[in-house]
Amino acid sequence: MAESPEKPLLQVLLCSPRGFCAGVVRAIESVERALAIHGAPVYVRHEIVHNRYVVDSLRQKGAIFVEELDEVPDDGQPVIFSAHGVPRTVPAEAGRRNLFALDATCPLVTKVHREAEIHYRRGREIVLIGHSGHPEVVGTMGQLPAGSITLVETPEDVDRFVPRDVHNLAYVTQTTLSVQDTLGMVERLKGRFPEIVGPHKEDICYATTNRQEAVRRVAPVVDAMVVVGAPNSSNSQRLKEVAEKSGCPFAVLVQRAADIDWARFENVTRLGVTAGASAPEVLVEEVLDAFARRYALSVETVSAATEDMFFPLPRPLRDQAAE
Ligand code: SF4
């Protein structure tokens, strides 16, 4: 009997922390708890977190995903707002229609909303560093009247920005940006407008910062990096970019093992693996299993930080669970 050829060796450096953050855990648990208390259906405005696997699992349990509140019937069932946050018009509309709304906005996104509000009340014109069209940016801009916040996406946008009063400016940022790129944007803003006021500590959240730091450590010593995450997940996209900018020859974003283009990994002997904040660990395991079928793996974890962040569920769900 012919012996099966030996598998090539592959050393995997597994980034830590990776995957779910406290805001994502809270958002998913909010939907699950609402389903347990109220039964199906539970409506969810927008993908609760940017991950198809998570969304499909919740859909199977009875969640119905909608893009806007006008798709939610007046049947008394809860409607949950996603972790990314919503413009003020959304809770206002829910209130007007007397919908049973639950807000799963990540507390770290809410913190940015409050910062923007305070700047506005102090009469400051606000610059938001972020990506146009991302639901978090739509939500943050929608906290204040139109025209109060100017979005800047690139250094060129910063150069083009013409404020009403250079002495009365503030900035806030999206929570899931590249730490390094954002530092550059903030420096540029401060260079043009030395009096601009910003957060004491940047708005980029702990989860984004830690996942990028782990990638920065692994990227220079591997031949390739696999980021498990969705193409519409901002923090997953940033992990891919950070890997490439930190010296990794190529980085790919995959949602599932089935997305892997194996030809690209033929000559890889050291591989970095991480996952965006909305990607469940089960998908990381699926990807590692797929590599293990083709390679003899040795797996080592590279840790950049220890996380113990926890956010309690929205109050109505906590109160109802207690009852
Ligand atoms: Fe909150 Fe950061 Fe997670 Fe977004 S990535 S949900 S801001 S902890």
Side-chain angles (χ1 to χ4, degrees):
M1 202 170 75
E3 273 188 22
S4 60
E6 267 188 26
K7 293 179 189 173
L9 296 175
L10 181 65
Q11 188 183 5
V12 172
L13 298 185
L14 196 51
C15 297
S16 174
R18 62 178 175 279
F20 278 4
C21 59
V24 161
V25 169
R26 174 178 184 265
I28 295 169
E29 283 184 6
S30 296
V31 179
E32 289 176 337
R33 184 72 67 88
L35 282 164
I37 296 172
H38 301 282
V42 162
Y43 301 95
V44 183
R45 185 187 175 278
H46 194 70
E47 287 189 343
I48 187 77
V49 300
H50 283 153
N51 189 277
R52 198 197 302 155
Y53 179 91
V54 171
V55 167
D56 287 347
S57 318
L58 292 173
R59 197 178 274 131
Q60 276 165 19
K61 293 176 187 170
I64 295 178
F65 291 86
V66 299
E67 275 314 304
E68 291 302 338
L69 288 188
D70 56 15
E71 298 164 60
V72 176
D74 296 301
D75 60 2
Q77 288 296 99
V79 55
I80 300 182
F81 306 149
S82 79
H84 313 96
V86 290
R88 274 182 186 271
T89 47
V90 173
E93 169 68 4
R96 195 187 60 72
R97 283 183 54 198
N98 219 11
L99 296 177
F100 176 15
L102 295 165
D103 189 358
T105 302
C106 176
L108 299 182
V109 174
T110 304
K111 176 177 147 274
V112 178
H113 292 178
R114 296 292 86 83
E115 277 170 25
E117 224 173 57
I118 290 167
H119 291 312
Y120 178 73
R121 272 198 258 119
R122 292 185 178 163
R124 296 177 184 138
E125 187 178 356
I126 301 160
V127 178
L128 167 62
I129 303 173
H131 295 293
S132 172
H134 189 280
E136 183 185 324
V137 165
V138 174
T140 301
M141 295 193 74
Q143 297 304 306
L144 296 173
S148 320
I149 301 181
T150 302
L151 178 68
V152 295
E153 292 189 80
T154 62
E156 292 71 37
D157 287 348
V158 173
D159 296 344
R160 275 192 295 264
F161 172 58
V162 182
R164 289 192 293 269
D165 174 4
V166 292
H167 306 295
N168 215 3
L169 281 174
Y171 73 87
V172 294
T173 83
Q174 196 178 328
T175 58
T176 51
L177 301 176
S178 152
V179 174
Q180 295 301 324
D181 292 355
T182 306
L183 270 178
M185 295 277 282
V186 168
E187 287 307 308
R188 211 159 174 125
L189 271 173
K190 286 181 175 168
R192 281 199 67 202
F193 313 112
E195 292 173 56
I196 194 166
V197 179
H200 293 300
K201 199 178 162 296
E202 61 189 23
D203 295 319
I204 297 175
C205 76
Y206 80 99
T208 299
T209 307
N210 292 344
R211 279 150 193 70
Q212 287 179 16
E213 181 53 32
V215 165
R216 240 190 306 279
R217 291 188 191 184
V218 167
V221 296
V222 292
D223 308 315
M225 176 81 72
V226 172
V227 180
V228 181
N232 60 344
S233 155
S234 171
N235 78 82
S236 302
Q237 288 285 6
R238 301 295 84 75
L239 291 176
K240 177 178 178 294
E241 288 170 12
V242 167
E244 286 165 343
K245 285 184 183 167
S246 307
C248 180
F250 79 91
V252 290
L253 185 61
V254 298
Q255 303 209 58
R256 303 289 299 257
D259 301 337
I260 298 170
D261 176 1
W262 293 104
R264 297 197 71 190
F265 292 88
E266 255 165 28
N267 298 317
V268 169
T269 58
R270 285 187 114 194
L271 176 73
V273 175
T274 189
S278 44
E281 185 65 9
V282 64
L283 298 185
V284 176
E285 286 164 10
E286 180 185 279
V287 165
L288 289 176
D289 286 346
F291 273 97
R293 282 194 288 278
R294 291 163 175 84
Y295 297 88
L297 294 193
S298 70
V299 181
E300 187 189 323
T301 299
V302 177
S303 179
T306 308
E307 291 181 347
D308 55 5
M309 191 70 85
F310 165 78
F311 299 134
L313 291 182
R315 182 165 288 284
L317 288 174
R318 273 184 279 156
D319 293 348
Q320 284 165 338
E323 282 164 23

